[in-house]
């Protein structure tokens, strides 16, 4: 198992399912691939985990899946048949009445071609999130990507060709040596390719990742200044809005009707179940019944693939880090997640749940002084300036 | 009561690193006073903080019984001494309770200044000295050379020296025999009026203050009414006992004996180290000589980061002072920091200890302002003021002159570092008084130094300059007129009183520049530009600016790992909680001690 180049996640692909209850709520699942274990072994383990879910948590039986997301690594390396199997198992386990279930596959351009894309589509994938990252070969090289700018563009055209009608791509800015011109031109090309969804991520280099060590070894790479980082972000938002995209979340823009339902659930505090090694899950409902003071439960599965497979085979618990949220945690999360949405937080709903308005709940008072937040039509949200300083607000 | 001829009272004098505590433990073990099971590494170092820092802050004694080769069973009182330069008065009182001392010298490194300072004190109070060459098991040990050094430089008789290894347990019996043989028994008249020396005291929640005493004349008994001569306080004794090493009550303590007394005394300030205890009914005329009231020499402001903690801080100080009367506090107000206290300490080390104890034992988050000394200000109208807070300095026009306290420092170092140390002393406005080659490779320097230059970081700098091989002792000297000015620090144009410093005029440019630079490093970027200025009066000496943060955002989703993101934010918030809001600007705690961090 290897580390992702940029964040400290393991390179394991996992599906997340969003579950829906009669009152609404979702589920999510992760997949994995490693050199030391066959794909079959891992898919079998996932299947075992999925089946054991309902045995361990009766309450989940009433839930309905609203979206499935194959992400957290490079799930597009899996055989389309494996994807099909998992989707089939999910359908077999949970209610999926709604025909509109969003089923996303995260795909790297070098892992897909017309034939595989077509097979993924037949497997039940109806949305693609393609890791294009840049349309500039020199930037792709610095990022250590295996695909070229041309392959990135071609993969989107091929996805269209086989009939995908909901495609997203992501772009990365603040990459060492990346110029504002290079960035602006990547944005232009993305707009021309006419995808439904575009994510823009600022490159954050985290300790413990291969990328961090590459950069720290006096590589001579120059990180863009904070000013140009801000400028890049603002340039992208402006250009995408002009091209008809809506601002769904700090990093996400989409055409009307094509927001990533799955991602929005995270920010709205929806429930999800992560399947596979290292996957995260969250249930907002009280796991121990009405009387407990728990405000939600988060957990992460065993992150080591080998151990994960062994645990699943032996029907042992897969959850490694279980965290019960108290009032303060839940409050902090609701603020942190809700304020990432341009609409912000519904003041009445928030106040009803926590007994305090979101504005008063913020511990840092910097937001008021510096014009980082505002309230409009009953919603409390970040201003444009506030988005840039969101960490000062939460 | 023990026959004086069978009593031996002694201390162990050692450099901090020389394994004093290990040797104490071995003596306790060898005499069966404690067993392996009972000892918590080093029994004599009792406070948690002391164990962490590896030095003794409070003295601790133990009574040992030892059956010597002559067939007689002796009572030994092993009296511990504090191990740091800030506590030299306490050391002198502990030593006064003894007739002899065991001088531990590292068999490879030889004599060090810390031992030297204590040794001179021991010789001053007339103690018999037994040299012990410790760590004899080390391959680098050179006992013959070190013996020579002991003869030549210390003027001690090295023929009675014992070779030992406290770590390995070698030479322990020989040390005990030497104590019997060479340290004289105490003398004193049992029927004379009571005269006992207080050499340590601490507060105990159940007994009140526990006072450690050494009886010189007369007898001290349970139920007796006693008077502490310097403070004039009178108490009826509740307990009389000895530490063996746990407290054991005895009927009485007679001449030459060492033990403790309690009388439900509420505060240690009534029981001053060096004071004489006498009987109310049959008092002595003359107290024991050598009493001094320990005076704080270093002052700094202590403020809660969060104003709400002011009352908690006050309670904590009241409690701490129950145990340490050498630390003083008075309420003070700062425009920048709000309500807090101006505290006095024996030295910088003492200050750090107090601050750490307040933060650790009372869960307080504190801001400590730069340490300062007491300046004597002579005003143009002839009035004299003592100023212990730079912001209380009168207007420049009203000042005729400022005098600052000097100390006499004794520095002991290997000669190869002489150049570096001379440079350091000169840079700190020192005046050389003496330079003495003890041996070819060891030098004893005597310098007069302004205390102001020493309290900041002299000791650390000295250690760095000599790779830790130098050691230093100091005593207050006198006041001298200095060319001193008040250096103000302005944040976004506003003077911050808590950041003001009194510095020598010749160094004011350098200090101003360096402090401003350091502040720039310490203060995190915020949502607006921050200007830092160092100024004397209206004259700006240095200017630094901290550029505004352009963004602080995580444009990233972490694949459903919300906990991770929340934890990151929580960490950021924790950091902010420890910052002090000055105007709009958030200053971290370290910013107030920036002056300590410049080279």
């Amino acid at each position: 198992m290897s580390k992702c180049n940029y964040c400290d996640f393991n390179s394991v692909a996992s599906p997340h399912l969003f579950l829906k209850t009669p009152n609404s709520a979702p589920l999510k699942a992760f997949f994995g691939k490693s050199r030391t274990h066959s794909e079959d072994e891992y898919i079998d383990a996932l299947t075992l985990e999925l089946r054991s879910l309902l045995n361990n948590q009766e309450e989940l039986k009433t839930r309905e899946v609203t979206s499935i997301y194959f992400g957290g690594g490079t799930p597009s390396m899996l055989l389309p048949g494996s994807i099909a199997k998992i989707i089939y198992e999910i359908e077999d386990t949970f209610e999926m009445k709604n025909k509109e279930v969003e089923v996303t596959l995260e795909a790297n351009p070098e892992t897909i071609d017309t034939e595989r894309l077509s097979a993924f589509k037949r497997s039940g994938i109806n949305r693609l999130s393609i890791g294009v990252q840049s349309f500039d070969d020199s930037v792709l090289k610095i990022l250590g990507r295996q695909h070229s700018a041309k392959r990135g563009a071609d993969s989107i055209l091929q996805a269209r060709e086989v009939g995908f009608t909901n495609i997203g791509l992501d772009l990365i800015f603040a990459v060492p040596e990346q110029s504002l011109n290079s960035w602006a031109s990547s944005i232009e090309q993305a707009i021309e390719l006419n995808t439904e969804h575009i994510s823009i991520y600022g490159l954050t280099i985290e300790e413990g990742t291969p990328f961090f060590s590459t950069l720290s070894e006096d590589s001579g790479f120059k990180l863009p200044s904070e000013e140009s980082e801000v400028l890049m972000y603002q340039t992208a938002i402006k250009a995408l809005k002009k091209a008809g995209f809506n601002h769904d979340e700090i990093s996400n823009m989409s055409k009307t009707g094509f927001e990533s339902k799955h991602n929005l659930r995270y920010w709205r505090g929806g429930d999800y179940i992560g399947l596979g090694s290292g996957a995260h899950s969250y249930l907002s409902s009280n796991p121990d019944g009405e009387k407990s003071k728990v405000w939600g439960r988060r957990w992460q599965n065993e992150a080591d693939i080998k151990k994960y497979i062994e645990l699943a085979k032996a029907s042992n618990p897969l959850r490694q880090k279980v965290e019960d949220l108290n009032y303060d945690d839940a409050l902090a999360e609701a603020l942190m997640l809700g304020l990432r949405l341009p609409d912000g937080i519904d003041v009445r709903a928030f106040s009803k749940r926590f007994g305090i308005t979101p504005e008063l709940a913020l511990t840092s008072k910097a937001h008021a002084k510096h014009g980082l937040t505002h309230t409009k039509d009953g919603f409390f949200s970040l201003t444009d300036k506030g988005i840039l300083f969101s960490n000062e607000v939460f | 009561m023990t026959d004086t001829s069978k009593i031996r009272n002694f201390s162990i004098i050692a450099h901090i690193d020389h394994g004093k505590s290990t040797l104490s433990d071995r003596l306790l073990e060898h005499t069966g006073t404690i067993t392996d099971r009972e000892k918590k590494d080093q029994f004599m170092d009792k406070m948690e903080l002391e164990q962490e820092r590896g030095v003794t802050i409070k003295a601790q004694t133990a009574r040992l019984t030892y059956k010597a080769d002559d067939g007689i069973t002796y009572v030994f009182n092993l009296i511990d001494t504090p191990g740091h330069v800030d506590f030299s008065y306490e050391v002198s009182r502990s030593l006064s309770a003894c007739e002899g001392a065991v001088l531990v010298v590292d068999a490879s490194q030889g004599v060090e200044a810390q031992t030297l300072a204590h040794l001179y004190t021991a010789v001053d109070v007339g103690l018999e000295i037994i040299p012990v060459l410790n760590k004899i098991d080390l391959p680098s040990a050179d006992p013959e050379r070190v013996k020579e050094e002991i003869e030549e430089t210390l003027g001690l008789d090295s023929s009675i020296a014992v070779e030992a290894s406290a770590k390995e347990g070698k030479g322990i019996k020989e040390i005990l025999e030497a104590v019997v043989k060479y340290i004289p028994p105490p003398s004193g008249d049992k029927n004379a009026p009571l005269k006992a020396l207080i050499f340590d005291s601490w507060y105990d929640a159940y007994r009140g203050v526990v006072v450690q005493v050494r009886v010189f004349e007369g007898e001290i008994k349970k139920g007796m009414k006693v008077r502490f001569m310097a403070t004039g306080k009178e108490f009826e004794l509740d307990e009389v006992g000895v530490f063996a090493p746990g407290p054991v009550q005895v009927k009485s303590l007679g001449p030459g004996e060492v033990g403790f007394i309690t009388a439900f005394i509420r505060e240690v300030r009534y029981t001053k180290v060096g004071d004489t205890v006498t009987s109310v009914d049959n008092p002595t005329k003359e107290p024991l000589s050598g009493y001094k009231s320990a005076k704080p020499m270093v002052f700094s402001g202590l403020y809660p980061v969060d104003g709400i903690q002011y009352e908690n801080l006050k309670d904590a100080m009241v409690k701490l002072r129950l145990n340490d009367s050498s630390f003083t506090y008075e309420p003070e107000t700062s425009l920048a920091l709000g309500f807090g206290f101006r505290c006095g300490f024996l030295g910088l080390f003492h200050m750090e200890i107090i601050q750490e104890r307040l933060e650790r034992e009372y869960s307080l988050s504190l801001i400590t302002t730069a340490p300062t000394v007491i300046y004597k200000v002579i005003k143009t109208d002839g009035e004299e003021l003592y100023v212990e807070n730079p912001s209380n300095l009168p207007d420049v026009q009203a000042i005729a002159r400022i005098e600052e306290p000097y100390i006499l420092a004794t520095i002991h170092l290997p000669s190869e570092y002489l150049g570096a140390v001379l440079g350091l002393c000169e840079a700190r406005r020192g005046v050389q008084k003496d330079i003495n080659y003890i041996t070819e490779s060891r030098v004893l320097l005597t310098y007069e130094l302004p205390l102001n230059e020493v309290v900041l970081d002299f000791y650390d700098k000295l250690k760095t300059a000599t790779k830790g091989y130098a050691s230093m002792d100091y005593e207050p000297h006198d006041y001298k007129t200095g060319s001193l000015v008040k250096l103000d620090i302005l944040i976004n144009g506003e003077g911050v009183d808590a950041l003001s410093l009194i510095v020598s005029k010749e160094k004011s440019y350098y200090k101003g520049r360096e402090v401003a630079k350091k502040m720039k490093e310490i203060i995190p970027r915020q949502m607006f530009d921050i200007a830092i200025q160092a100024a004397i009066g209206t004259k700006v000496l240095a200017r630094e600016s901290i550029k505004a943060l352009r963004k602080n955002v995580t444009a990233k989703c972490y694949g459903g790992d919300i906990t991770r993101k929340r934890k990151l934010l929580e960490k950021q918030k924790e950091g902010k909680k420890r910052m002090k809001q000055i105007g709009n600007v958030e200053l971290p705690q370290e910013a107030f001690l920036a002056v300590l961090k410049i080279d």
Side-chain angles (χ1 to χ4, degrees):
Chain A
M1 186 171 61
S2 62
K3 282 270 183 188
C4 164
N5 260 330
Y6 312 104
C7 62
D8 70 353
F9 278 92
N10 296 323
S11 281
V12 189
S14 317
H16 268 120
L17 316 172
F18 265 127
L19 289 173
K20 194 176 172 187
T21 58
N23 310 319
S24 104
L27 180 120
K28 140 178 180 176
F30 271 112
F31 282 86
K33 169 115 180 157
S34 83
R35 291 186 195 94
T36 49
H37 290 85
S38 75
E39 188 168 320
D40 284 350
E41 258 186 306
Y42 187 60
I43 300 298
D44 287 347
L46 273 174
T47 310
L48 287 169
E49 182 184 4
L50 192 54
R51 287 178 188 160
S52 70
L53 267 180
L54 297 192
N55 297 337
N56 298 333
Q57 220 145 344
E58 281 282 314
E59 183 253 357
L60 291 179
K61 277 185 184 158
T62 61
R63 304 284 185 118
E64 193 186 325
V65 172
T66 57
S67 63
I68 303 172
Y69 196 98
F70 292 87
T74 317
S76 54
M77 286 167 78
L78 294 175
L79 294 169
S82 300
I83 301 281
K85 181 160 191 249
I86 293 295
I87 296 175
Y88 173 78
E89 288 287 345
I90 294 170
E91 282 172 345
D92 207 36
T93 312
F94 292 96
E95 289 282 331
M96 279 174 75
K97 284 180 199 145
N98 193 336
K99 296 266 157 49
E100 300 293 303
V101 172
E102 181 187 275
V103 187
T104 307
L105 175 72
E106 261 185 14
N108 279 3
E110 77 276 13
T111 62
I112 46 179
D113 53 27
T114 314
E115 197 185 325
R116 281 173 66 78
L117 284 167
S118 172
F120 282 130
K121 186 155 188 301
R122 286 196 303 275
S123 306
I125 299 293
N126 57 26
R127 182 175 182 273
L128 287 173
S129 172
I130 301 180
V132 168
Q133 305 200 331
S134 176
F135 291 108
D136 179 336
D137 281 333
S138 63
V139 170
L140 287 170
K141 199 177 160 207
I142 286 170
L143 288 172
R145 305 310 297 191
Q146 288 161 28
H147 68 272
S148 64
K150 183 169 185 308
R151 176 87 279 272
D154 286 350
S155 65
I156 288 159
L157 296 174
Q158 287 165 348
R160 274 293 181 243
E161 205 181 298
V162 305
F164 278 102
T165 54
N166 189 355
I167 304 171
L169 63 82
D170 59 12
L171 294 172
I172 294 191
F173 65 98
V175 176
E177 306 288 318
Q178 185 184 33
S179 68
L180 184 61
N181 276 341
S182 153
W183 172 243
S185 123
S186 278
I187 299 281
E188 282 313 312
Q189 291 185 59
I191 292 170
E192 271 170 40
L193 284 164
N194 201 23
T195 56
E196 283 70 32
H197 187 277
I198 295 178
S199 304
I200 47 164
Y201 293 120
L203 178 67
T204 39
I205 298 155
E206 295 192 24
E207 266 180 79
T209 62
F211 206 74
F212 181 83
S213 5
T214 317
L215 274 181
S216 58
E217 284 159 16
D218 294 322
S219 53
F221 283 135
K222 219 177 84 206
L223 282 169
S225 69
E226 218 171 65
E227 277 78 8
S228 48
E229 213 179 316
V230 169
L231 203 56
M232 284 182 185
Y233 179 76
Q234 287 168 338
T235 307
I237 302 294
K238 206 170 143 193
L240 291 168
K241 276 187 177 166
K242 203 176 149 201
F245 284 82
N246 306 315
H247 202 176
D248 300 333
E249 188 269 340
I250 290 180
S251 302
N252 289 294
M253 315 267 308
S254 70
K255 302 264 179 68
T256 304
F258 290 99
E259 70 273 16
S260 165
K261 287 181 202 155
H262 190 88
N263 275 339
L264 285 180
R265 300 298 312 209
Y266 290 141
W267 316 121
R268 291 187 179 138
D271 292 5
Y272 51 89
I273 301 286
L275 301 174
S277 84
H280 293 268
S281 303
Y282 168 65
L283 288 179
S284 61
S285 56
N286 205 324
D288 301 323
E290 288 299 315
K291 281 184 185 161
S292 102
K293 285 182 179 158
V294 178
W295 283 72
R297 177 172 292 174
R298 295 193 181 276
W299 66 89
Q300 186 183 9
N301 282 351
E302 169 59 56
D304 184 289
I305 293 195
K306 198 178 154 207
K307 284 188 195 151
Y308 168 81
I309 292 173
E310 280 165 10
L311 290 172
K313 273 186 188 163
S315 304
N316 280 329
L318 301 162
R319 299 173 187 184
Q320 293 300 307
K321 295 178 197 157
V322 180
E323 191 200 15
D324 281 339
L325 305 182
N326 58 28
Y327 171 84
D328 289 339
D329 299 332
L331 184 76
E333 286 190 357
L335 288 167
M336 165 185 109
L337 298 171
L339 284 174
R340 292 186 68 97
L341 302 166
D343 286 348
I345 296 167
D346 181 334
V347 176
R348 271 182 62 187
F350 186 98
S351 309
K352 198 178 157 211
R353 183 165 177 223
F354 293 108
I356 185 170
T357 66
E359 190 165 6
L360 287 173
L362 291 172
T363 46
S364 158
K365 297 301 170 207
H367 64 98
K369 226 168 16 206
H370 299 291
L372 305 179
T373 55
H374 61 175
T375 306
K376 203 181 146 196
D377 303 332
F379 278 81
F380 179 67
S381 62
L382 295 178
T383 59
D384 285 348
K385 187 181 177 193
I387 290 175
L388 290 175
F389 291 97
S390 55
N391 286 351
E392 299 275 326
V393 179
F394 302 148
Chain B
M1 211 162 47
T2 315
D3 178 357
T4 53
S5 71
K6 289 176 189 155
I7 299 175
R8 297 292 183 275
N9 297 321
F10 67 102
S11 269
I12 299 175
I13 299 175
H15 187 265
I16 299 172
D17 315 307
H18 277 204
K20 175 174 70 166
S21 302
T22 318
L23 180 58
S24 305
D25 283 350
R26 292 296 166 272
L27 297 181
L28 292 171
E29 279 163 34
H30 195 93
T31 54
T33 315
I34 55 164
T35 60
D36 276 351
R37 196 168 45 84
E38 286 168 329
K39 72 173 179 144
K40 192 189 158 196
D41 276 331
Q42 287 158 352
F43 176 79
M44 300 294 264
D45 282 356
K46 58 182 174 210
M47 267 167 57
E48 185 192 342
L49 211 58
E50 290 182 351
Q51 287 201 349
E52 256 173 47
R53 289 179 175 240
V55 295
T56 317
I57 298 159
K58 301 293 284 182
Q60 167 79 304
T61 64
R63 172 189 277 219
L64 294 61
T65 48
Y66 174 63
K67 190 170 184 204
D69 285 352
D70 61 11
I72 300 172
T73 300
Y74 291 88
V75 170
F76 285 0
N77 290 303
L78 172 55
I79 297 170
D80 203 6
T81 51
H84 193 273
V85 60
D86 285 353
F87 305 102
S88 50
Y89 170 70
E90 282 75 2
V91 172
S92 78
R93 295 307 86 199
S94 288
L95 292 175
S96 296
C98 309
E99 275 74 38
V102 169
L103 171 71
V104 183
V105 180
D106 188 300
S108 56
Q109 295 197 37
V111 183
E112 305 251 352
Q114 192 69 53
T115 27
L116 216 60
H118 286 192
L119 178 70
Y120 288 150
T121 313
V123 172
D124 272 356
V125 298
L127 303 192
E128 192 63 44
I129 312 290
I130 302 170
V132 168
L133 306 185
N134 193 27
K135 300 192 186 174
I136 202 79
D137 54 313
L138 290 185
S140 57
D142 188 354
E144 290 317 309
R145 179 184 61 81
V146 173
K147 273 187 192 171
E148 215 169 275
E149 198 181 316
I150 289 171
E151 293 254 346
E152 279 176 17
T153 70
L154 309 181
L156 295 177
D157 178 5
S158 70
S159 70
I160 62 166
V162 182
E163 295 185 7
S165 165
K167 203 172 132 219
E168 308 261 299
K170 281 184 198 154
I172 304 304
K173 184 174 186 304
E174 288 72 15
I175 295 172
L176 292 165
E177 284 297 321
V179 167
V180 171
K181 201 164 159 196
Y182 300 113
I183 294 179
S187 56
D189 182 357
K190 179 183 152 207
N191 300 312
L194 174 66
K195 220 183 231 196
L197 170 75
I198 300 179
F199 63 89
D200 194 15
S201 66
W202 64 86
Y203 186 78
D204 178 294
Y206 301 103
R207 299 182 163 102
V209 179
V210 178
V211 188
Q212 295 233 48
V213 292
R214 150 74 199 263
V215 179
F216 281 87
E217 303 271 354
E219 217 181 324
I220 197 161
K221 287 181 187 162
K222 184 176 170 152
M224 190 174 179
K225 272 194 99 176
V226 296
R227 177 185 303 137
F228 299 153
M229 296 177 79
T231 60
K233 292 281 173 187
E234 292 180 3
F235 297 95
E236 191 177 311
L237 296 183
D238 174 54
E239 283 178 314
V240 173
V242 296
F243 289 105
V248 178
Q249 288 205 44
V250 296
K251 275 191 197 142
S252 71
L253 293 170
E257 288 197 292
V258 172
F260 70 87
I261 53 175
T262 67
F264 299 113
I265 303 166
R266 287 199 316 274
E267 292 184 42
V268 287
R269 66 190 168 94
Y270 301 139
T271 60
K272 300 226 186 245
V273 167
D275 196 359
T276 304
V277 185
T278 193
S279 152
V280 171
D281 297 332
N282 180 20
T284 180
K285 288 192 187 81
E286 284 291 312
L288 295 157
S289 62
Y291 171 76
K292 274 195 276 181
S293 180
K295 280 204 185 75
M297 293 174 75
V298 177
F299 292 80
S300 76
L302 281 183
Y303 290 82
V305 173
D306 184 346
I308 293 171
Q309 286 196 327
Y310 176 79
E311 286 297 325
N312 301 6
L313 173 59
K314 193 173 154 190
D315 290 348
M317 294 220 250
V318 168
K319 284 190 192 131
L320 258 194
R321 215 182 115 79
L322 287 178
N323 237 336
D324 183 353
S325 62
S326 53
F327 139 74
T328 61
Y329 61 90
E330 263 176 50
E332 94 176 349
T333 324
S334 151
L335 285 175
L337 300 178
F339 292 103
F341 297 91
R342 174 89 348 200
C343 302
F345 309 96
L346 296 174
L348 199 59
F349 177 76
H350 188 213
M351 172 179 118
E352 284 172 19
I353 297 275
I354 296 284
Q355 189 204 333
E356 260 187 69
R357 289 191 62 186
L358 287 170
E359 293 210 322
R360 195 183 300 193
E361 294 168 28
Y362 300 92
S363 310
L364 296 164
S365 185
L366 299 176
I367 285 174
T368 312
T369 64
T372 174
V373 300
I374 304 187
Y375 294 94
K376 193 162 144 187
V377 179
I378 295 96
K379 290 171 74 173
T380 41
D381 61 8
E383 194 193 338
E384 270 187 31
L385 289 177
Y386 285 91
V387 175
E388 58 200 39
N389 180 346
S391 61
N392 293 345
L393 212 60
D395 277 348
V396 189
Q397 295 85 346
I399 299 175
R401 64 173 203 277
I402 306 177
E403 292 184 2
E404 61 178 326
Y406 272 66
I407 55 155
L408 197 63
T410 333
I411 303 165
H412 198 266
L413 68 149
S415 50
E416 54 186 303
Y417 302 112
L418 184 61
V421 174
L422 289 176
L424 176 66
C425 291
E426 296 300 321
R428 299 304 176 99
R429 300 187 285 133
V431 179
Q432 197 184 101
K433 287 286 148 190
D434 195 18
I435 175 164
N436 185 8
Y437 276 81
I438 299 171
T439 65
E440 259 176 42
S441 59
R442 306 185 73 81
V443 182
L444 183 66
L445 270 181
T446 313
Y447 256 89
E448 263 178 37
L449 284 158
L451 182 58
N452 153 326
E453 298 278 354
V454 176
V455 293
L456 292 183
D457 56 354
F458 185 82
Y459 201 61
D460 289 340
K461 290 285 185 292
L462 179 66
K463 288 281 177 189
T464 312
T466 60
K467 298 204 171 91
Y469 281 110
S471 37
M472 180 182 90
D473 187 38
Y474 66 81
E475 57 185 64
H477 194 49
D478 57 1
Y479 271 83
K480 285 185 185 184
T481 303
S483 173
L484 300 163
V485 290
K486 185 169 85 151
L487 180 68
D488 293 317
I489 303 293
L490 290 77
I491 305 272
N492 280 352
E494 294 286 330
V496 181
D497 58 356
L499 291 171
S500 292
L501 299 164
I502 293 177
V503 298
S504 88
K505 197 173 172 188
E506 56 173 299
K507 284 191 183 177
S508 57
Y509 268 96
Y510 170 77
K511 288 247 171 179
R513 220 172 42 230
E514 291 301 308
V515 170
K517 237 193 253 172
K518 205 34 125 189
M519 298 283 278
K520 182 180 174 170
E521 283 171 32
I522 294 172
I523 301 173
R525 291 165 64 206
Q526 293 169 34
M527 293 186 57
F528 39 81
D529 288 341
I530 301 167
I532 302 161
Q533 290 165 299
I536 295 174
T538 53
K539 192 165 138 207
V540 174
L541 307 179
R543 194 188 305 266
E544 293 283 347
S545 66
I546 301 173
K547 283 266 165 244
L549 205 59
R550 295 300 309 276
K551 53 138 208 148
N552 183 3
V553 55
T554 311
K556 203 167 163 107
C557 92
Y558 291 116
D561 186 359
I562 306 296
T563 305
R564 184 185 150 84
K565 172 138 171 71
R566 197 184 72 235
K567 293 267 155 78
L568 282 173
L569 285 170
E570 274 168 10
K571 217 169 126 192
Q572 189 175 334
K573 266 189 222 164
E574 270 314 301
K576 286 207 170 185
K577 262 192 213 157
R578 294 178 71 83
M579 297 220 238
K580 189 80 189 177
Q581 186 101 19
I582 304 290
N584 267 341
V585 185
E586 284 172 326
L587 295 189
Q589 288 164 305
E590 311 92 88
F592 294 89
L593 289 173
V595 66
L596 290 185
K597 304 209 169 70
I598 63 180
D599 299 320

